[in-house]
Amino acid sequence: MRALGIDLGGTNLRYLCLDHTRRIVARGTIPARLGARAREDPQAAPSLVVEAVRAALRAVDSVDALGVAIAGFVREGVVVASPNIPGLVGWDAARALEEATGIPVRVHNDASLAALGEAVGGGWDAPLVHLTLGTGIGAGFYDGQRPWLGAHGTAMEIGHWKLARTRRRCGCGGRGCLETVASATGVVRSYGRPRLDAAAVARLADAGDAKAVRAFAQAGEALGRAAAMLALALDPAVITFGGGMSAAWRWLRAPLEDAFRAGVPDALHGQTRVARARTGAEAGALGAALFALG
Ligand SMILES: [Zn+2]
């Protein structure tokens, strides 16, 4: 039994193949540019995804199960919202990919699968909450057996908790969502120079730019309050922070830990830990492969 996990990003497709002992036997990245190509021709998006999945399958030896992680909302294999790859809404991804590949396919939200990947790949105790800090904020809860999906497959959309101390507009249509200050995009908005990315703002902070330090402090403080709420609701063993912006952990950590401690009653201090994630950009593909293994 071998399972291939695929994380369908807007820019890169990451894949990772596990054998029945959960050993990684292959991994790689395909620069599929699905986001840009689907924006040019949204109607072609499903066939572009099928083509990219076939390319990943060709890159590995035969597999018996396929797991696919997609950003957005996925309900029983059907894409309900897809911010990174336009043109997929309403598409029954699981069924279409099964028909195209002839192997069983399980499709789910990338952040939930990343939580599964981080829990197993990072060697953490469960339960675990994993936050992916990227363009937005994804979150997943792994209870020790499986990722918690909720009644409709849309659990843990905490990027839209209204706990920013601003009224910034969010892509969801609301204002003041966590991800408007605490995602990579949010940090760039706080810094006020849209052409930069979060890594550039982190380098400015390293160079002593007070505004850059404040942008990360604002993000870290909001993440710390969110982590405290998660700890109170779910009592996880650990809350991990991954995704591209976790590379700036050195600037997030202190404000995050301070706000986390302040948000948790004294009697519960020392229970839930907060930590930088260990599996890096591979969490989603690893989680998808584990999900496919069942
Ligand atoms: Zn929102």
Side-chain angles (χ1 to χ4, degrees):
M1 175 79 175
R2 285 157 57 104
L4 181 67
I6 292 179
D7 189 356
L8 282 179
T11 307
N12 291 316
L13 174 158
R14 284 177 192 280
Y15 65 87
L16 186 148
C17 188
L18 295 177
D19 70 10
H20 67 285
T21 66
R22 293 179 164 186
R23 191 171 59 95
I24 297 172
V25 292
R27 52 158 58 100
T29 302
I30 298 173
R33 294 180 51 248
L34 289 170
R37 291 163 70 201
R39 262 186 291 281
E40 282 166 18
D41 185 3
Q43 286 193 330
S47 57
L48 291 171
V49 170
V50 169
E51 177 198 314
V53 167
R54 282 202 173 115
L57 280 166
R58 280 196 300 274
V60 297
D61 290 335
S62 65
V63 297
D64 310 290
L66 181 61
V68 178
I70 298 184
F73 300 150
V74 181
R75 194 181 295 148
E76 290 172 7
V78 179
V79 181
V80 178
S82 171
N84 295 349
I85 307 173
L88 296 183
V89 172
W91 185 47
D92 189 338
R95 203 177 69 185
L97 289 170
E98 276 188 1
E99 283 171 5
T101 63
I103 52 180
V105 179
R106 298 182 78 186
V107 180
H108 203 66
N109 166 269
D110 58 350
S112 294
L113 295 181
L116 170 61
E118 176 66 23
V120 175
W124 300 102
D125 289 335
L128 165 143
V129 173
H130 177 66
L131 272 67
T132 305
L133 311 177
T135 309
I137 293 181
F141 176 55
Y142 173 68
D143 67 6
Q145 259 103 47
R146 59 188 68 82
W148 178 260
L149 306 181
H152 311 96
T154 58
M156 300 297 287
E157 286 295 333
I158 72 158
H160 304 288
W161 275 354
K162 305 286 186 284
L163 47 71
R165 299 193 197 278
T166 71
R167 295 266 302 144
R168 263 181 216 168
R169 194 175 285 282
C170 176
C172 73
R175 284 180 181 275
C177 295
L178 175 65
E179 68 179 38
T180 66
V181 295
S183 64
T185 317
V187 164
V188 172
R189 285 174 82 175
S190 296
Y191 189 72
R193 283 181 50 195
R195 281 164 187 267
L196 297 181
D197 60 15
V201 179
R203 285 193 296 275
L204 287 164
D206 292 340
D209 184 324
K211 197 167 145 200
V213 172
R214 274 200 305 277
F216 280 106
Q218 191 178 354
E221 192 269 342
L223 290 170
R225 282 187 286 129
M229 292 161 71
L230 288 163
L232 291 172
L234 299 169
D235 185 20
V238 61
I239 301 171
T240 53
F241 295 83
M245 202 175 77
S246 65
W249 182 245
R250 62 193 179 282
W251 290 110
L252 292 170
R253 182 177 182 170
L256 192 159
E257 288 181 345
D258 287 350
F260 177 64
R261 261 192 305 277
V264 173
D266 289 349
L268 304 184
H269 283 181
Q271 291 191 170
T272 299
R273 297 168 58 197
V274 291
R276 185 179 175 185
R278 293 171 175 163
T279 50
E282 215 163 63
L286 175 58
L290 290 163
F291 195 55
L293 274 182

